[in-house]
Amino acid sequence: MSRGAGSPIGLHRVIEPRGVLPQAAWRLDNSPELYDDEVRVRVERLNLDAASFRQLREANDGDGARVRAAVLEIVRDRGKMHNPVTGSGGMLVGTVEAVGERSPLGLSVRQRVATLVSLTLTPLAISDDLAGWDGADEQVPAAGHAILFGRSVAAVLPDDLPVPLSLAVLDVCGAPALTHRVVRGYLAPRVLVIGAAGKSGALALAAARHAAAGSVVGLVPTEAEAAVVTDSGLADSVVVADARDPVATASAVGAPADVTVVCVDVAGCEGGAILATAAGGTIVFFSMATSFAAAALGAEGLAADVTMLVGNGYAPGHAALALDLLRSQHGVRQLFEQRLDLELSMKE
Amino acid sequence: MSRGAGSPIGLHRVIEPRGVLPQAAWRLDNSPELYDDEVRVRVERLNLDAASFRQLREANDGDGARVRAAVLEIVRDRGKMHNPVTGSGGMLVGTVEAVGERSPLGLSVRQRVATLVSLTLTPLAISDDLAGWDGADEQVPAAGHAILFGRSVAAVLPDDLPVPLSLAVLDVCGAPALTHRVVRGYLAPRVLVIGAAGKSGALALAAARHAAAGSVVGLVPTEAEAAVVTDSGLADSVVVADARDPVATASAVGAPADVTVVCVDVAGCEGGAILATAAGGTIVFFSMATSFAAAALGAEGLAADVTMLVGNGYAPGHAALALDLLRSQHGVRQLFEQRLDLELSMKE
């Protein structure tokens, strides 16, 4: 019962307004019948974006039943879990249920997958009224189905790793992929990772070394974080500085870096990254707190001949590379497990 | 009477607060005595940033005498023309008066120059109370001196071109420089310039052709602008679309571009640029209206394997390349002169 060919970016699922991208749409067609290049996933769990969940909690006075009703209403109205206030979504975990004959994603029925494109553009229907969720946590047990387009991205969850660990890695897998690609463009470069003790920072350190960096420097804000990175063994050296202070940052780094990767989610780190990078070098900004204008004007003001990249979260093979780094570099796994334990303990 | 070695980025001129970059400083040392690597310029005219001038006009009810007093007060308090409300500055034109023995800028006394780093980080003193300025125009005749650091950027104004034309070109000379560099990284690429009828757009078209693009496509919002670009001869084809509409933009462009240059100063053009660019392609964002998050999340949501660059306004040789394009490509000069005539007529 094929519906014919779909648009690889899902334009055929847009109901309202017509002609916009699925992410910009108010409402998507979430019907289960597949177009030829689509995949249907049986949903197991939604991971709501942190900002979205916080907003829903606050708007509903922390009342779990009302939070649950609000999520159900959004999905019913929009055909996707796209919080209209925050504009954000999240991701989902489920099992492949049907694969269109022309799907290019390479998925097979019964594979367990995580979607790596946002819920804001993923057609979704809920069939269990979220009965298994108390509305008190952004991890939402759910039954229903979701649709992947030809150009969607989903990663098969590996059998050899705990699911929360895989999800934490997949969440930031764009950072090591782009770091790897940029570092490979230089001969044994000096690589600086700002925010080295975080999840994307640790993977960026590992990716840089994997890509044959000459030396890898981690920058962190505190001695405690320096100890964590040193202990992980992922960096050749670790320095402590406030990344918002350009002069202090450049001074702590010493010899300028050929490649600088900004992974710290704090505003105002553009100047430090620019000042710590050599002429002819490249800066990759992965922090969503990056200001486009601060980066552009900062480099101009310093007459800095540096290439500055917007950290694109997608690159072919990004999920596999990140999971391989986790498996092959003990320090990555150690750091991720510490982080997950910390997050778990903070929730209790 | 040397003062010794300065910091190439001017840290030695920062008075308050200590240890920050000159742009972030409240007050700079604007004394005329040079450090070894500095250059002193006899000021002839300030070009205030448009946003700064508008704010000063509005805050002073359009009263020219009060606007003049406000500018004098800023320069006296801060040692630079750095509008504390808008955070912006502008540029200046003047004549080289003294060159420190270790200045790396290659300037000579009596050369007429324009500064290409912002007034927000340029030590400046005014000696004529701006007596020749009526406060009604962002072009400010002025006497006084300014200081260039080792890493400042100043362009010698060419003898063969009218000053307003040179300044208009120098104002956007980062765009053709980076476009040239990126296009050279591909073999005969298809290049798309979004906002092709503007000043940076015209120079980007010319730079792409100069860098051996395979084909050059200009995108503009109206038939009137399409006629201007077609008439200039700078593009192989011209298409009309609203760049804020990704689907319309990609559809108008047809075969995707290998290199896309965004020059239009309108918010919301990230999705169109991403959708119109081929896998493996590069997008250069020159618009200050670019949203870092929209670019990063947009590419991820479309699973687009594109490299996205923050348009750095500085590259070695950028001023010379832009002026050469103006001289060598008739269409560039034609378009700039039309634009300048238009601006002049709108002021009258």
Side-chain angles (χ1 to χ4, degrees):
Chain A
M1 197 188 67
S2 166
R3 297 172 72 176
S7 141
I9 56 174
L11 297 177
H12 58 290
R13 290 274 185 175
V14 172
I15 294 179
E16 181 192 346
R18 285 269 173 205
V20 304
L21 294 175
Q23 190 158 36
W26 174 255
R27 197 151 72 91
L28 298 180
D29 168 12
N30 64 1
S31 57
E33 294 78 26
L34 293 185
Y35 286 78
D36 287 355
D37 64 348
E38 293 182 334
V39 167
R40 188 169 66 245
V41 174
R42 177 69 21 209
V43 175
E44 181 178 315
R45 188 167 66 183
L46 311 178
N47 285 16
L48 300 185
D49 168 77
S52 173
F53 180 67
R54 196 179 317 119
Q55 186 275 327
L56 289 164
R57 286 279 289 177
E58 288 173 5
N60 292 288
D61 307 319
D63 180 330
R66 285 172 53 200
V67 173
R68 187 170 59 220
V71 170
L72 285 168
E73 189 184 338
I74 290 172
V75 176
R76 197 169 48 234
D77 285 358
R78 307 196 67 172
K80 57 178 176 172
M81 181 50 213
H82 186 174
N83 184 324
V85 178
T86 62
S88 57
M91 62 190 291
L92 65 81
V93 173
T95 305
V96 175
E97 186 174 66
V99 178
E101 61 192 37
R102 294 189 189 182
S103 166
L105 298 183
L107 295 174
S108 314
V109 171
R110 281 188 293 279
Q111 281 181 323
R112 200 158 174 228
V113 295
T115 60
L116 300 187
V117 291
S118 172
L119 289 180
T120 59
L121 55 95
T122 303
L124 173 69
I126 301 288
S127 59
D128 70 343
D129 285 333
L130 301 179
W133 185 44
D134 61 5
D137 191 313
E138 67 257 41
Q139 306 280 330
V140 184
H145 68 264
I147 304 294
L148 304 180
F149 309 131
R151 247 170 91 168
S152 294
V153 187
V156 177
L157 289 170
D159 295 330
D160 61 329
L161 296 171
V163 173
L165 186 59
S166 294
L167 292 181
V169 170
L170 294 172
D171 190 38
V172 294
C173 67
L178 188 51
T179 299
H180 192 269
R181 185 185 283 186
V182 170
V183 169
R184 287 287 293 268
Y186 291 82
L187 188 64
R190 181 168 164 85
V191 179
L192 167 66
V193 175
I194 297 179
K199 290 184 276 196
S200 55
L203 280 168
L205 289 172
R209 190 169 276 174
H210 186 61
S215 66
V216 180
V217 183
L219 186 140
V220 291
T222 64
E223 293 294 344
E225 290 203 0
V228 169
V229 178
T230 301
D231 194 41
S232 77
L234 294 171
D236 297 309
S237 63
V238 182
V239 298
V240 176
D242 181 345
R244 294 165 301 183
D245 181 337
V247 177
T249 297
S251 158
V253 172
D258 302 300
V259 177
T260 297
V261 185
V262 181
C263 292
V264 61
D265 242 339
V266 170
C269 299
E270 300 85 0
I274 293 164
L275 208 54
T277 305
T282 297
I283 303 170
V284 190
F285 289 105
F286 270 106
S287 164
M288 279 299 160
T290 303
S291 156
F292 183 88
L297 298 176
E300 190 174 334
L302 289 165
D305 180 22
V306 290
T307 298
M308 296 184 287
L309 300 186
V310 177
N312 181 350
Y314 175 73
H318 61 343
L321 173 66
L323 291 168
D324 281 350
L325 290 171
L326 181 86
R327 290 189 188 98
S328 63
Q329 302 214 23
H330 174 71
V332 175
R333 182 150 187 173
Q334 178 183 319
L335 199 143
F336 266 74
E337 288 179 338
Q338 282 173 6
R339 287 261 156 188
L340 288 173
D341 284 350
L342 192 67
E343 285 169 19
L344 213 62
S345 70
M346 283 170 69
K347 273 187 193 163
E348 282 161 2
Chain B
M1 196 188 66
S2 166
R3 297 170 73 176
S7 141
I9 55 175
L11 296 176
H12 57 289
R13 289 276 185 174
V14 172
I15 293 178
E16 181 193 346
R18 285 269 172 205
V20 303
L21 293 175
Q23 192 158 35
W26 174 255
R27 197 153 72 91
L28 298 180
D29 168 12
N30 63 1
S31 58
E33 294 78 27
L34 294 184
Y35 286 77
D36 287 355
D37 64 348
E38 293 182 334
V39 167
R40 189 169 65 244
V41 174
R42 178 69 20 210
V43 176
E44 183 178 314
R45 188 168 65 184
L46 311 178
N47 285 18
L48 300 185
D49 167 77
S52 173
F53 180 67
R54 195 179 317 119
Q55 186 275 328
L56 289 164
R57 286 279 288 177
E58 288 172 5
N60 292 287
D61 307 318
D63 180 331
R66 283 172 55 199
V67 173
R68 187 169 60 220
V71 170
L72 284 167
E73 189 184 338
I74 289 171
V75 176
R76 198 169 46 233
D77 284 358
R78 308 196 66 173
K80 58 177 176 173
M81 182 50 213
H82 186 173
N83 184 323
V85 178
T86 62
S88 58
M91 61 190 292
L92 65 82
V93 173
T95 305
V96 175
E97 186 174 64
V99 178
E101 61 193 38
R102 294 188 190 183
S103 167
L105 298 183
L107 296 173
S108 312
V109 171
R110 281 188 293 280
Q111 282 181 324
R112 200 159 175 226
V113 294
T115 58
L116 301 187
V117 290
S118 170
L119 288 180
T120 59
L121 54 95
T122 304
L124 172 70
I126 302 289
S127 59
D128 71 343
D129 285 333
L130 302 178
W133 184 46
D134 62 6
D137 192 313
E138 68 258 40
Q139 305 280 331
V140 184
H145 69 264
I147 305 294
L148 305 180
F149 308 131
R151 249 171 89 169
S152 294
V153 188
V156 177
L157 289 169
D159 294 331
D160 61 330
L161 296 171
V163 172
L165 187 58
S166 294
L167 292 182
V169 170
L170 294 173
D171 190 36
V172 292
C173 66
L178 188 51
T179 300
H180 192 270
R181 185 185 284 187
V182 170
V183 170
R184 286 289 291 269
Y186 290 82
L187 188 65
R190 180 167 165 85
V191 180
L192 167 66
V193 176
I194 297 179
K199 289 184 278 196
S200 55
L203 281 168
L205 289 172
R209 191 169 275 174
H210 186 61
S215 67
V216 181
V217 183
L219 186 141
V220 292
T222 64
E223 293 294 344
E225 290 203 0
V228 169
V229 178
T230 301
D231 195 43
S232 77
L234 294 171
D236 297 308
S237 63
V238 183
V239 297
V240 177
D242 181 345
R244 295 166 298 184
D245 181 337
V247 178
T249 296
S251 157
V253 171
D258 302 299
V259 177
T260 296
V261 186
V262 181
C263 291
V264 61
D265 243 338
V266 171
C269 299
E270 300 85 0
I274 293 165
L275 208 53
T277 305
T282 298
I283 303 170
V284 190
F285 289 105
F286 270 105
S287 164
M288 279 298 157
T290 303
S291 156
F292 182 88
L297 298 177
E300 191 175 334
L302 290 165
D305 180 22
V306 291
T307 298
M308 297 185 287
L309 299 186
V310 176
N312 181 351
Y314 174 73
H318 61 342
L321 172 66
L323 291 167
D324 282 351
L325 289 171
L326 182 85
R327 290 190 188 99
S328 62
Q329 303 214 22
H330 174 70
V332 175
R333 182 152 187 170
Q334 177 182 319
L335 199 144
F336 266 74
E337 287 178 341
Q338 283 173 4
R339 286 263 156 186
L340 287 174
D341 285 351
L342 192 69
E343 286 169 19
L344 214 60
S345 69
M346 283 171 68
K347 274 187 193 162
E348 279 161 2

